[in-house]
Amino acid sequence: MALAFVLTGCGQGPVTVEPPQPRGAVKAACRALVEDLPTSVGGGESRPVDPPEALAAAWGDPPITLRCGVARPEALTPTSECFEINGVGWYAEKATRGTIFTTVGRATYVEVAVPEAYDPAADSLVDLASSVDRRVRQVKPCQ
């Protein structure tokens, strides 16, 4: 199943994202994560997101986007392939115009959409791994 990117953006203006709606401890962890994210990912600089209060971030053009507190991907099962980058487990799904990576084994799901312009797509996760590892508690290792 191909997934579509849920964003719009042209030039270096705000990037529209569908805001997740986490609550409680998940929302607090997501706020801490968004505040701790790097200013550059995949060689692109940070961009504003719309709505501004979304637990999300964006970098570059075309934008790489991160959303914290998203739902578990429907295709993710206990036997899905998981790979680890700098201590953070990820599940990858091909999307219409790139790849969507979602953390696994963490207290909440963090989604990173990487457009096909960035190759290899997983390289962008290196820039994000330390913030995710610091701010989103690991509950089990990537297996």
Side-chain angles (χ1 to χ4, degrees), residues 4-139:
F5 278 59
V6 183
L7 59 91
T8 61
C10 183
Q12 292 297 309
V15 177
T16 302
V17 296
E18 183 180 327
Q21 302 295 320
R23 297 190 174 135
V26 169
K27 186 173 186 176
C30 288
R31 270 198 199 115
L33 172 63
V34 170
E35 291 172 7
D36 190 41
L37 291 169
T39 58
S40 177
V41 171
E45 294 303 308
S46 181
R47 294 181 57 184
V49 295
D50 184 35
E53 67 278 359
L55 297 170
W59 301 265
D61 187 18
I64 294 169
T65 60
L66 175 147
R67 299 184 318 132
C68 185
V70 299
R72 181 184 61 79
E74 288 183 25
L76 179 61
T77 68
T79 60
S80 294
E81 185 176 347
C82 171
F83 65 95
E84 191 173 299
I85 294 179
N86 295 345
V88 178
W90 298 93
Y91 167 70
E93 293 179 276
K94 189 68 182 152
T96 303
R97 296 182 310 247
T99 305
I100 299 192
F101 298 97
T102 307
T103 57
V104 293
R106 297 277 159 172
T108 188
Y109 293 103
V110 177
E111 174 191 278
V112 178
V114 181
E116 59 194 9
Y118 300 90
D119 189 36
D123 282 1
S124 298
L125 303 177
V126 172
D127 296 332
L128 298 167
S130 63
S131 293
V132 171
D133 196 39
R134 274 192 304 271
R135 301 299 180 184
V136 183
R137 182 175 51 85
Q138 182 176 358
V139 292

